[in-house]
Amino acid sequence: MPIKIQADLPARQILENENIFVMDETRASHQDIRPIQIVILNLMPLKEETELQLLRSLSNTPLQVDVTFLHVCSHESKNTSTSHLNKFYVTFNDIKDQEFDGLIITGAPVEQMPFEEVDYWEELTQIMDWSKKNVTSTMYLCWAAQAGLYYHFGIQKRPLEKKMFGLFWHKVENRKYPLVRGFDDLFLAPHSRHTESPREEIAACEDLIILAESEEAGVFLAMTKDGRQIFVMGHPEYDRVTLDGEYKRDMGKGLPIEQPKNYYPENNSDARPMLMWRAHANNLYTNWLNYYVYQITPYSLNKKSL
């Protein structure tokens, strides 16, 4: 089944060229089913790039997924045009009286700042509070995962000696939970961050379960026992060349950056990077939509009792 987006969203043509089934509002209105309603709070600076990555990730499911893009009002985007935001995004005030099946909160390049100094922190906490009663399951990505663990469970992030950057091997730790159903024992996933949420504090929290982690990169996947909150410490949605773009951007700025690990063939940054994490990334999003959204959410969203 397709993902439903606005007919003129720029990502649509790219998705259709990749044979991903995309449906616009007109066709969706004739479908006699109740689609899954997903809202994406996009905090990344390159919003159109992140839109495309997440829409790809959500497309591998038999469910019809209606996507709403959300942006914060308390921060002025410098990399996405106002016209794009006005046309394709809503604000929290627009949806705060609505209910959704799922929410995705993306990462953001603010990890080296204290949480409370981020200009949209107060607005983000309002959205996180709202999600506890108005969303069936929320997925937090990278910095948002650290922010969610801090806000909900008091787990403070800590700085790393150097940036965790590249592809890292992870081990599935708890197979009884369907979020990791179909995962191999070991799998690769991208990371790009300067901070981490301490493994020992996550493990000590009685409300949380660690599902996958890395000896080198730490916890990758954790969740609350009821599945209402999913914390993903990396960027499984990244495209083949996302890490390449970040590396060459930082090199061009003269920033201290090492090559992304396990990424370039023979560590040659001029070579085409190998795409070695997409299958598990797709599996993660499909499992989330199926087991923690679709099979939990009520048929009528306005009759939810969470």
Side-chain angles (χ1 to χ4, degrees), residues 165-222:
F165 190 48
L167 300 178
F168 297 90
W169 286 102
H170 303 79
K171 181 181 179 181
V172 174
E173 297 292 350
N174 201 326
R175 285 199 171 275
K176 77 175 185 177
Y177 291 92
L179 191 63
V180 291
R181 185 164 293 171
F183 275 51
D184 294 332
D185 290 341
L186 295 173
F187 64 94
L188 285 165
H191 290 262
S192 178
R193 51 187 170 81
H194 293 89
T195 57
E196 67 175 1
S197 297
R199 194 261 182 211
E200 61 272 16
E201 293 188 35
I202 298 173
C205 181
E206 62 181 15
D207 295 318
L208 296 170
I209 306 156
I210 295 174
L211 297 183
E213 59 185 320
S214 164
E215 290 185 3
E216 190 172 1
V219 174
F220 173 69
L221 188 59

Side-chain angles (χ1 to χ4, degrees), residues 92-104:
F92 181 51
N93 281 335
D94 295 324
I95 64 163
K96 65 182 181 180
D97 296 324
Q98 300 178 36
E99 294 177 324
F100 289 83
D101 300 302
L103 165 66
I104 296 174

Side-chain angles (χ1 to χ4, degrees), residues 9-20:
L9 185 75
R12 176 177 178 164
Q13 186 61 53
I14 299 173
L15 293 169
E16 288 182 336
N17 289 342
E18 296 175 6
N19 293 318
I20 293 175

